[in-house]
Amino acid sequence: QVQLVESGGGLVQAGGSLRLSCVASGRTFSSSRMTWFRQAPGKEREFVSGISWRGGITYYADSVKGRFTISRDNAKNTMYLQMNSLKPEDTAVYYCAAGLMGDLTTRTSPASWKYWGQGTQVTVSS
């Protein structure tokens, strides 16, 4: 039903910036709320940031707050993640997710999201 495609990843030096995009297609109602997760090698997939339908409510993991900014353009069915002051520990595959199952108390759990993109690799060198 819903397809999500991430893009914008790449290799950057520490302190650099990247802007990730996630384009949703299909039944957009299920993607009214969207979230970014990331997964580094050997680690669990972790919550990064989330945004409400109109963009008025945003959430950030403590590890990225102040450095990352989430936004969306509903006319383009696209969510963005502006990443500044990147650190080597930000290196991971970044995924967008849509279709929250359950209530918002579970939003930081990967198991609570129905639709996922295939991810885009972000590598930050020292």
Side-chain angles (χ1 to χ4, degrees), residues 84-118:
N84 298 326
S85 301
L86 283 163
K87 305 174 181 179
E89 48 263 48
D90 295 318
T91 295
V93 177
Y94 283 71
Y95 300 89
C96 62
L100 179 63
M101 299 178 288
D103 59 50
L104 288 174
T105 63
T106 65
R107 68 185 184 277
T108 61
S109 173
S112 296
W113 296 87
K114 185 176 182 179
Y115 303 107
W116 293 86
Q118 290 190 311

Side-chain angles (χ1 to χ4, degrees), residues 21 23 29 46 74 81-82 84 106:
S21 298
V23 179
F29 178 81
E46 67 174 350
N74 289 336
L81 186 67
Q82 178 67 47
N84 298 326
T106 65

Side-chain angles (χ1 to χ4, degrees), residues 15-36:
S17 299
L18 284 173
R19 191 190 194 195
L20 306 184
S21 298
C22 174
V23 179
S25 62
R27 297 174 65 241
T28 58
F29 178 81
S30 62
S31 62
S32 59
R33 180 175 295 278
M34 299 178 70
T35 307
W36 288 100

